[in-house]
Amino acid sequence: MNDFEKRIAGSGGGLQSEKVETLQVNLGLRCNQQCIHCHLEASPGRKEMMEWPIMELVLEACKRARCQLVDLTGGAPELNPNFCRFVEALYQEGHRVQVRTNLTVLLEPGMEEMPEFFRERQVQLVASMPCYLEENVCAQRGPGVYEKSVAAIKRLNGLGYGYESSLPLNLVYNPGGAFLPPPQSALEEDYRRELHLRFGIKFTHLLTITNMPLGRFRTELARQNREEDYLRLLRQSFNPQTVDGLMCRHQLSVGWDGTLFDCDFNLALGLPVNHGAPDHIRFFKIGDLQRRRIVTGEHCFGCTAGSGSSCGGALV
Ligand code: SF4
Ligand code: SF4
């Protein structure tokens, strides 16, 4: 048992999943951005990309698992050459699809029709917007990102995203440094007011996500000599009320090469599912995966700190 498992102890058998409600699929590590906090170290130069034969296996798994949601992520998932074909196939099979977009990719050449494509397939959107202030967004995500993100949100608003209940546009906040997110609902109100005042834009909900001590964010912490302080903060902020809602208990992550992970953070660390559960989409069997023992580590304290954190925002 590692320290995290000892902390959540009770069952004695580590952390157990309950069901697979969401299948999160990482379509590749290429991204048009290179953010300083990226736990996957995605960038324009990355070559890793999910290929069609793996997508076919994912389609088959989705059919068998009857998941409530297929959540597409990356990198920038839209940059996968088979992205539209895959979304179309999921839609035709009747799956609810969510795309995690960085917004700026929607302004890249060749992406002109993507917002309409999303709307026609009722794709839900989760979009990165780590602050309502330009200087904070550009410090994390690069120069010009704020302006482009606002332009993309305006375009999506114009199509009904953020307005119609069937077209949710959720924004994602993450801290600009080694601290925990503020309370989600209060920050959501600040975002709503500021973004509407400044640009007249709307969104559905704000999701607050804690920076995980992984990838580029960890490198940056080490560079600033703040790694130990941040790890201590996460441990000291452990909140037992977050454990029931941990996302790994309700979802499964498929890597670009078909490897199965308990979550996107384990994917970043190269830690596939274990403890006897099948670890590749080729061997996908829902019965063997829905009640599996989850692979945990020190990074898991990032999900249980304060109000908790997941791809769906705060946990409590
Ligand atoms: S955080 Fe998102 S937008 Fe930024 S480099 Fe990583 S995948 Fe791309
Ligand atoms: S890092 Fe992954 S495995 Fe660990 S608690 Fe968070 S979601 Fe679960």
Side-chain angles (χ1 to χ4, degrees):
M1 261 197 189
N2 58 36
D3 284 355
F4 182 75
E5 287 180 329
K6 282 183 198 150
R7 198 70 193 263
I8 59 158
S11 61
L15 183 64
Q16 304 286 330
S17 66
E18 296 198 339
K19 46 197 155 186
V20 182
E21 290 169 351
T22 300
L23 199 65
Q24 189 172 68
V25 188
N26 190 304
L27 297 187
L29 301 183
R30 187 178 305 156
C31 188
N32 56 312
Q33 293 183 189
Q34 193 165 337
C35 308
I36 57 164
H37 66 282
C38 185
H39 65 274
L40 285 161
E41 305 189 65
S43 74
R46 296 296 293 257
K47 303 274 185 271
E48 301 89 337
M49 200 68 89
M50 184 175 279
E51 294 186 351
W52 184 252
I54 299 290
M55 289 179 175
E56 286 184 305
L57 293 172
V58 176
L59 284 164
E60 191 52 40
C62 289
K63 205 187 287 184
R64 276 186 273 144
R66 298 202 184 141
C67 300
Q68 292 174 13
L69 183 68
V70 184
D71 185 22
L72 305 182
T73 185
E78 298 95 328
L79 295 180
N80 186 305
N82 286 307
F83 175 76
C84 289
R85 185 182 177 193
F86 187 49
V87 172
E88 182 67 36
L90 288 165
Y91 175 71
Q92 292 300 334
E93 291 284 347
H95 299 295
R96 196 148 58 94
V97 179
Q98 177 168 277
V99 171
R100 293 185 179 268
T101 182
N102 66 20
L103 293 171
T104 62
V105 73
L106 301 177
L107 276 71
E108 291 284 305
M111 294 286 162
E112 294 79 6
E113 307 301 322
M114 195 60 84
E116 281 83 0
F117 174 82
F118 286 153
R119 184 186 57 182
E120 282 156 22
R121 277 90 190 157
Q122 302 277 291
V123 170
Q124 303 181 184
L125 295 177
V126 175
S128 320
M129 188 70 171
C131 192
Y132 48 78
L133 296 174
E134 180 167 10
E135 68 215 61
N136 292 344
V137 172
C138 294
Q140 270 190 50
R141 301 175 78 76
V145 167
Y146 183 75
E147 202 183 328
K148 287 184 188 168
S149 301
V150 169
I153 295 174
K154 281 186 177 170
R155 173 114 157 77
L156 293 166
N157 277 173
L159 294 173
Y161 274 100
Y163 280 87
E164 295 172 25
S165 58
S166 59
L167 296 174
L169 171 60
N170 292 324
L171 300 185
V172 174
Y173 160 91
N174 66 279
F179 52 92
L180 297 181
Q184 185 169 271
S185 55
L187 190 61
E188 178 176 292
E189 288 319 305
D190 293 346
Y191 262 65
R192 225 179 268 297
R193 185 187 62 246
E194 294 297 325
L195 290 177
H196 191 262
L197 263 176
R198 286 159 202 254
F199 309 106
I201 56 181
K202 268 187 83 167
F203 61 96
T204 311
H205 287 298
L206 181 74
L207 314 177
T208 56
I209 299 188
T210 301
N211 287 325
M212 294 300 270
L214 305 172
R216 268 188 220 121
F217 185 67
R218 185 147 191 161
T219 306
E220 184 60 18
L221 287 173
R223 196 184 64 77
Q224 296 175 10
N225 212 12
R226 303 186 68 187
E227 212 174 355
E228 284 310 313
D229 287 350
Y230 189 61
L231 294 175
R232 194 174 313 116
L233 171 71
L234 297 180
R235 274 170 183 267
Q236 287 175 346
S237 309
F238 177 76
N239 177 356
Q241 290 177 326
T242 60
V243 175
D244 277 354
L246 287 172
M247 66 178 174
C248 48
R249 308 188 73 187
H250 309 275
Q251 75 176 47
L252 187 68
S253 220
V254 189
W256 61 272
D257 63 352
T259 305
L260 300 179
F261 300 89
D262 293 296
C263 71
D264 201 48
F265 306 121
N266 285 3
L267 184 157
L269 285 166
L271 294 173
V273 295
N274 203 336
H275 306 297
D279 64 0
H280 195 277
I281 194 74
R282 256 194 314 274
F283 312 117
F284 185 93
K285 246 193 187 172
I286 190 65
D288 293 344
L289 286 157
Q290 55 194 0
R291 294 197 189 276
R292 65 191 189 279
R293 180 170 171 187
I294 294 164
V295 176
T296 60
E298 178 194 45
H299 60 293
C300 296
F301 285 106
C303 295
T304 52
S307 300
S309 178
S310 73
C311 290
L315 297 173
V316 292

